[in-house]
Amino acid sequence: MNYKSEITYIDQYEFCLVTGVDYLSAKGERFRIIAKKSLLSIQLEFKKASESNMLSVKLIHKLKGIVSSVGAIYITRICIKIEQYKEVLCPASIYAHLDLLLQNLIYSLD
């Protein structure tokens, strides 16, 4: 896939608004490293939660906080929708889709 046709996971302008630093600066890199570690941790928590086949709203809320702090608006909106429609959504499907989004987001933070 051509780089220009890929989904942009990080809004650099939003990243700057939230963190107060430029995305490509040394401090921006440090923020991205911290976010990447947090996302890897939450990805493991998703794998454990998916085994119980119950949706963890606390985990979704935690993810929303992390992704919104790095300017990942697209995933933040998905988390908000999951919180709103949690009663009618299939937990296994949610975890599978969020896992894919997290993998791509983690890759884009490099």
Side-chain angles (χ1 to χ4, degrees):
M1 178 179 266
N2 186 344
Y3 177 75
K4 294 184 187 219
S5 66
E6 291 179 14
I7 294 174
T8 303
Y9 287 92
I10 306 288
D11 182 336
Q12 292 186 18
Y13 177 74
E14 187 72 23
F15 180 89
C16 184
L17 286 177
V18 174
T19 62
V21 298
D22 185 53
Y23 183 79
L24 297 174
S25 70
K27 284 189 178 185
E29 183 179 356
R30 185 160 184 220
F31 273 106
R32 293 193 315 270
I33 290 169
I34 292 168
K36 187 174 178 180
K37 287 179 185 177
S38 298
L39 291 170
L40 288 169
S41 169
I42 208 165
Q43 195 173 29
L44 290 175
E45 291 181 54
F46 273 155
K47 288 181 195 243
K48 291 177 187 174
S50 67
E51 293 171 3
S52 68
N53 202 29
M54 292 186 65
L55 183 60
S56 172
V57 178
K58 183 191 274 187
L59 201 52
I60 300 295
H61 187 73
K62 184 177 176 181
L63 173 63
K64 182 177 74 172
I66 295 168
V67 297
S68 66
S69 70
V70 293
I73 298 169
Y74 177 70
I75 300 174
T76 303
R77 289 182 183 151
I78 290 172
C79 290
I80 291 169
K81 291 297 182 188
I82 291 170
E83 288 177 334
Q84 291 174 341
Y85 299 106
K86 61 187 171 280
E87 291 86 14
V88 295
L89 297 172
C90 172
S93 176
I94 290 170
Y95 288 131
H97 285 89
L98 284 177
D99 185 56
L100 181 62
L101 288 171
L102 281 176
Q103 287 176 13
N104 289 322
L105 177 59
I106 291 167
Y107 177 74
S108 72
L109 286 170
D110 288 334

